Amino acid sequence: MRYGRGVAAVSAQSTGPVSAMLADPVALDGQRSRCEAGAQPVAIIDLDPKDSLFAAPARPEKNNGLILGLAVLREAGVQIAWVSDLPVAQIGTVRTALEQAGLDPRGEDIVSLSRDPEDRKQARRVNLAANSCVIAIAGDEKADFDERFKYLRNPEAGSALEAAIGDGWFLIEPLLPVASPGQGAQEGQKAP
């Protein structure tokens, strides 16, 4: 959360901060783009656990430390964006779970869900970055930061990408309990 507050403060200066998004869509050099000065800072949080889809718990538990951290980010002017590969038809379920868990108490955060089977999280992250300054991305696996991690035949080839972990990219535990692997919020829904 300190990282997000610090970057939000830099966003207000005449030169924009370094983005959490990589500069080149295919390079493995780890170079990140720079945001425009004054661009709205956004922190992306991936809701999907590895090899599964987010499943809203019936009674989400509140994590007061996380709730406070998100409140501090919002107070610093950072917009929160929640991302999942659930279909957009599940928006109400996701919003309700976030509100009940205290993670989006006012229902004002961005929730980015899949519009169709070909819709990719990477494309949605890029779209967010085109209209704002993505200062941080949090998820439980490296592919939550950039999809090229899924396609590395040799993991050492992506070693330069690892420098962003802890500096814009943050590995976290899944935020809310989820269904078993391969199960989504709806019966029979498969992980992508």
Side-chain angles (χ1 to χ4, degrees), residues 11 19 21 33-44 77 79 81 110 112 115 122-135:
S11 295
S19 174
M21 301 294 291
S33 60
R34 185 166 287 281
C35 296
E36 292 185 26
Q40 170 65 52
V42 172
I44 297 174
Q79 175 78 47
I110 297 166
S112 176
R115 295 170 292 230
Q122 184 69 22
R124 287 183 272 141
R125 286 189 293 261
V126 168
N127 285 341
L128 273 169
N131 300 310
S132 60
C133 178
V134 176
I135 61 168

Side-chain angles (χ1 to χ4, degrees), residues 27-28 33-34 39 106 154:
L28 297 175
S33 60
R34 185 166 287 281
R106 295 184 180 148
N154 176 4

Side-chain angles (χ1 to χ4, degrees), residues 16-180:
V18 172
S19 174
M21 301 294 291
L22 296 172
D24 187 306
V26 294
L28 297 175
D29 59 10
Q31 297 298 312
R32 294 184 289 165
S33 60
R34 185 166 287 281
C35 296
E36 292 185 26
Q40 170 65 52
V42 172
I44 297 174
I45 303 171
D46 194 293
L47 288 168
D48 294 334
K50 185 175 183 177
D51 299 326
S52 189
L53 294 174
F54 174 72
R59 290 186 202 112
E61 290 185 27
K62 294 191 176 187
N63 177 330
N64 291 328
L66 181 57
I67 291 169
L68 177 61
L70 291 170
V72 167
L73 284 175
R74 289 183 188 104
E75 188 174 310
V78 178
Q79 175 78 47
I80 308 299
W82 305 93
V83 177
S84 171
D85 271 333
L86 285 173
V88 76
Q90 294 292 318
I91 188 80
T93 303
V94 174
R95 280 213 178 275
T96 298
L98 292 171
E99 289 175 23
Q100 289 178 347
L103 301 176
D104 182 12
R106 295 184 180 148
E108 296 175 347
D109 291 347
I110 297 166
V111 177
S112 176
L113 303 179
S114 180
R115 295 170 292 230
D116 58 60
E118 283 77 42
D119 190 19
R120 300 177 355 259
K121 286 182 191 177
Q122 184 69 22
R124 287 183 272 141
R125 286 189 293 261
V126 168
N127 285 341
L128 273 169
N131 300 310
S132 60
C133 178
V134 176
I135 61 168
I137 304 172
D140 67 339
E141 63 176 322
K142 294 174 185 174
D144 292 338
F145 310 135
D146 194 284
E147 71 182 6
R148 66 193 90 187
F149 278 107
K150 292 180 181 180
Y151 305 109
L152 292 175
R153 290 183 188 172
N154 176 4
E156 288 92 35
S159 61
L161 301 174
E162 307 264 337
I165 296 175
D167 184 27
W169 293 351
F170 301 94
L171 285 169
I172 60 171
E173 294 295 319
L175 298 180
L176 298 170
V178 296
S180 60

